[in-house]
Amino acid sequence: MYEIIEGFIEAIRLIVTLDPDVMAIAARSIIVSLTATIFATLIAIPLGAAINFGTFPGRKSLINLIQTLYSLPTVIVGLLIFLLISRVGPFGSLRLLFTPTAMVIAQTVLILPIMTGLTISALSGIDPVVRDTLYSLGATRLQFLVNIMKEARFAILAAVAVGFGRAISEVGAAILVGGNIMASSFASSTRVLTTAISLETSMGNIPQSIALGLVLLAIALGVNLAITTVQHR
Amino acid sequence: MQRRTVFAVAAVMVALLFICGCTGTTTDPTPVEKQQLRIATTTSLYDTKLLDHLTPIFEEQYNAEVLIVSAGTGKAIEYGQNGDVDVLMVHDRAREDAFLADGYGTDRRVFAYNYFVLIGPESDPAGIKGMQPEAAFTTIRETGMADGSDVVFVSRGDASGTHSKEKAIWKGAGFNYSADVQGSGDWYQEAGTGMGATLTMANEKQAYTLSDIGTYLAYKGDLELVTLVDEGDILLNVYCAMQINPEKYPDTNTTVAKDWINFMISDDVQEEIASFGVDQYGQPLFYAAQNDWEKIGVTEAEVKDPVL
């Protein structure tokens, strides 16, 4: 018990003094996960719209499949990306293994299904009256899409937030394809909050783990708080 | 008119930016990009912070950046086989030999050694203190399998060099590892993780475990476990570095890889290794291989000849 309290005090000290190690790891976490979320957003929203408004055979099954992939285990994604980008894999010549880029790829793949699925739900949840009105006013296809998106923006924003949350809290894939490297330059390091917590705990550095955990928690809560605030405005 | 001025100013600024950008790349004082060296290493070298201590010295001397992936020897060797790293630093002679024989690695150099120790709770429920390693293992197994016993052995269980050594000791004690030891009862538990984490786990469970002395000393402050067996030839632990064969993977960073291996066997670094941890732990975590090659059963060339 004493160790936990002591850990918390030390953790708070590390945070308020802006400990450079903790800050670098937190910054890297945010950069990697944010990049992944941006890529996933650029793919998931158009894809979600195409599936929601499209009429093609197997549409229902595709939506079912996407929803099943919500629970895609992170280590499976990690393993898959590892096999693809390891030197002996099909994309080995790009030498991506153990780089932040690899982590971005893995996280993008991981959050793509959930963001696409939530986009579909967001769009399909729009009041049919809105759609009918747009049609009856003679909106072009583009005008129609833009207005529907506007209508669904809060739900889509929530999809983005969920995606980011899943990306930043993920550890399995990050450690498999990133390697948890602490290098002398910021850009070559692949140690993020989750992998650092895993390592520090295994090394018995509990205060460091608690500090990193608090930062991670703060980021996750902060993002959701921001989204909720925007939605209620 | 006004809009045109704004446009002109903007154009000039963009042009300036381009010029600065171009001159920036041509007259940069450090035009050579830092070479990256990727090392896959066993957890013991990483968890003791020996590599944290040595890499800044190397980075400074060779204008390189060292990227370290720490994993058990088994996993590290796999990274090497896939050519995902430039240098491999491990401690498992049999698998190193196979790695070299299969043409994945070259230029094996031995840079350090120390000993494995069998550690456990101070109360020593199996009563193995001071035994030979093989006898101690046999006793742990026997008491562990007896009814109502509180004897537990935590194994790395992760195909690491330490795990290999543990299997070798079981074999030396006359057991078939997969039939007689693994899964033979609750007394034998596989952690499936690095040395540091395994020590922490053994401490929680008040269990016996096999550890390299370096990691044990580095963690000792947080542990209640004590050394019970530390003598026996089988406990010798030899660390080597080798290069991934450039013939197999031509775009491996050969130059820096060779620099690193030569750096590890250089006189200065050998001294660093021999003195590393003495201040903090009262004894070295590793011994330099340089002058003890005979004692640790390797050739003089393997500890002294620079890689060309």
Side-chain angles (χ1 to χ4, degrees):
Chain A
M1 191 62 210
Y2 178 67
E3 196 189 19
I4 298 174
I5 296 165
E6 204 182 18
F8 258 96
I9 295 168
E10 172 66 7
I12 287 161
R13 193 191 65 77
L14 287 169
I15 293 169
V16 295
T17 56
L18 303 176
D19 179 79
D21 281 349
V22 173
M23 291 305 125
I25 292 169
R28 194 175 304 110
S29 254
I30 294 175
I31 293 169
V32 167
S33 302
L34 206 57
T35 315
T37 311
I38 291 168
F39 282 130
T41 305
L42 292 177
I43 304 169
I45 291 178
L47 189 64
I51 294 171
N52 186 56
F53 296 118
T55 42
F56 51 90
R59 182 175 164 275
K60 272 257 162 61
S61 322
L62 182 62
I63 294 178
N64 277 334
L65 176 70
I66 290 171
Q67 282 170 348
T68 310
L69 291 178
Y70 280 12
S71 44
L72 192 58
T74 70
V75 284
I76 300 288
V77 175
L79 175 65
L80 183 75
I81 303 294
F82 177 88
L83 292 174
L84 290 175
I85 64 175
S86 169
R87 260 275 263 276
V88 290
F91 300 102
S93 56
L94 301 173
R95 302 229 67 187
L96 288 173
L97 191 63
F98 306 139
T99 63
T101 313
M103 301 167 82
V104 170
I105 295 171
Q107 292 188 352
T108 306
V109 171
L110 179 73
I111 63 179
L112 208 50
I114 199 158
M115 286 179 66
T116 310
L118 291 177
T119 304
I120 295 172
S121 322
L123 294 175
S124 65
I126 289 186
D127 194 337
V129 175
V130 178
R131 303 168 60 166
D132 294 344
T133 314
L134 283 169
Y135 275 128
S136 63
L137 288 174
T140 63
R141 185 131 188 96
L142 185 69
Q143 282 170 330
F144 174 78
L145 276 177
V146 168
N147 281 291
I148 288 285
M149 288 290 178
K150 255 187 196 163
E151 202 63 32
R153 66 186 181 279
F154 292 139
I156 289 175
L157 206 57
V160 175
V162 169
F164 178 78
R166 190 155 152 82
I168 201 161
S169 58
E170 177 286 316
V171 57
I175 214 155
L176 277 176
V177 303
N180 197 24
I181 294 169
M182 193 65 161
S184 50
S185 82
F186 182 84
S188 308
S189 301
T190 55
R191 186 162 301 170
V192 292
L193 287 167
T194 50
T195 61
I197 291 171
S198 168
L199 176 76
E200 298 294 349
T201 308
S202 79
M203 290 175 65
N205 299 333
I206 305 302
Q208 190 84 5
S209 284
I210 299 176
L212 294 163
L214 289 177
V215 173
L216 181 55
L217 203 58
I219 294 171
L221 293 178
V223 167
N224 276 296
L225 194 68
I227 298 289
T228 327
T229 317
V230 170
Q231 282 174 337
H232 286 151
R233 212 168 49 189
Chain B
M1 190 65 204
Q2 225 173 10
R3 191 179 284 175
R4 208 184 266 173
T5 326
V6 172
F7 185 76
V9 169
V12 169
M13 280 170 71
V14 170
L16 276 175
L17 268 178
F18 265 106
I19 294 162
C20 293
C22 293
T23 49
T25 51
T26 47
T27 60
D28 199 307
T30 50
V32 187
E33 205 187 322
K34 274 195 180 173
Q35 293 265 24
Q36 283 192 342
L37 174 66
R38 288 152 180 255
I39 302 177
T41 176
T42 162
T43 54
S44 44
L45 291 173
Y46 192 77
D47 287 356
T48 52
K49 310 220 185 273
L50 174 68
L51 292 181
D52 278 352
H53 177 68
L54 296 177
T55 47
I57 308 174
F58 179 81
E59 291 185 337
E60 175 112 343
Q61 275 179 22
Y62 293 89
N63 187 36
E65 182 177 33
V66 180
L67 306 179
I68 297 169
V69 182
S70 140
T73 293
K75 207 166 162 193
I77 284 182
E78 202 173 311
Y79 291 148
Q81 278 173 346
N82 292 349
D84 289 321
V85 290
D86 307 313
V87 164
L88 191 60
M89 297 172 78
V90 288
H91 59 149
D92 187 347
R93 185 61 193 260
R95 271 189 291 181
E96 286 157 28
D97 288 343
F99 189 80
L100 294 168
D102 294 343
Y104 290 113
T106 60
D107 305 314
R108 177 180 185 268
R109 291 292 181 275
V110 171
F111 60 88
Y113 72 98
N114 59 17
Y115 296 93
F116 285 103
V117 284
L118 183 51
I119 59 169
E122 204 158 6
S123 60
D124 190 12
I128 56 155
K129 194 169 171 60
M131 285 185 175
Q132 280 292 303
E134 293 89 340
F137 268 43
T138 310
T139 312
I140 291 174
R141 182 176 174 276
E142 273 169 11
T143 30
M145 303 222 342
D147 284 337
S149 150
D150 55 356
V151 169
V152 175
F153 185 94
V154 177
S155 164
R156 284 283 293 275
D158 64 346
S160 60
T162 309
H163 191 202
S164 281
K165 180 63 81 173
E166 187 207 314
K167 287 192 223 168
I169 301 174
W170 286 117
K171 199 176 167 197
F175 295 107
N176 176 327
Y177 181 70
S178 50
D180 301 334
V181 181
Q182 241 179 344
S184 67
D186 282 344
W187 69 278
Y188 188 80
Q189 306 185 357
E190 293 179 67
T193 177
M195 192 69 251
T198 303
L199 283 170
T200 311
M201 196 184 294
N203 193 52
E204 286 291 327
K205 293 175 183 279
Q206 286 294 297
Y208 294 97
T209 193
L210 185 73
S211 171
D212 63 290
I213 184 81
T215 316
Y216 170 63
L217 289 175
Y219 277 74
K220 202 177 170 186
D222 296 327
L223 303 176
E224 293 160 33
L225 304 177
V226 297
T227 309
L228 296 166
V229 173
D230 59 359
E231 271 170 42
D233 294 339
I234 202 166
L235 296 177
L236 179 70
N237 182 24
V238 175
Y239 291 92
C240 83
M242 52 188 158
Q243 196 196 155
I244 304 308
N245 192 350
E247 280 168 30
K248 204 124 193 167
Y249 297 106
D251 60 335
T252 315
N253 211 336
T254 321
T255 325
V256 200
K258 283 179 180 164
D259 286 344
W260 174 263
I261 296 170
N262 291 335
F263 172 79
M264 290 304 291
I265 58 169
S266 68
D267 291 351
D268 289 350
V269 171
Q270 289 285 298
E271 268 175 45
E272 289 284 343
I273 290 173
S275 63
F276 179 72
V278 175
D279 300 347
Q280 212 178 337
Y281 307 107
Q283 58 171 305
L285 303 187
F286 300 94
Y287 301 101
Q290 202 173 52
N291 299 316
D292 294 342
W293 52 274
E294 231 165 340
K295 185 172 156 191
I296 58 178
V298 298
T299 63
E300 189 172 7
E302 272 186 308
V303 297
K304 286 196 172 149
D305 285 5
V307 178
L308 301 173

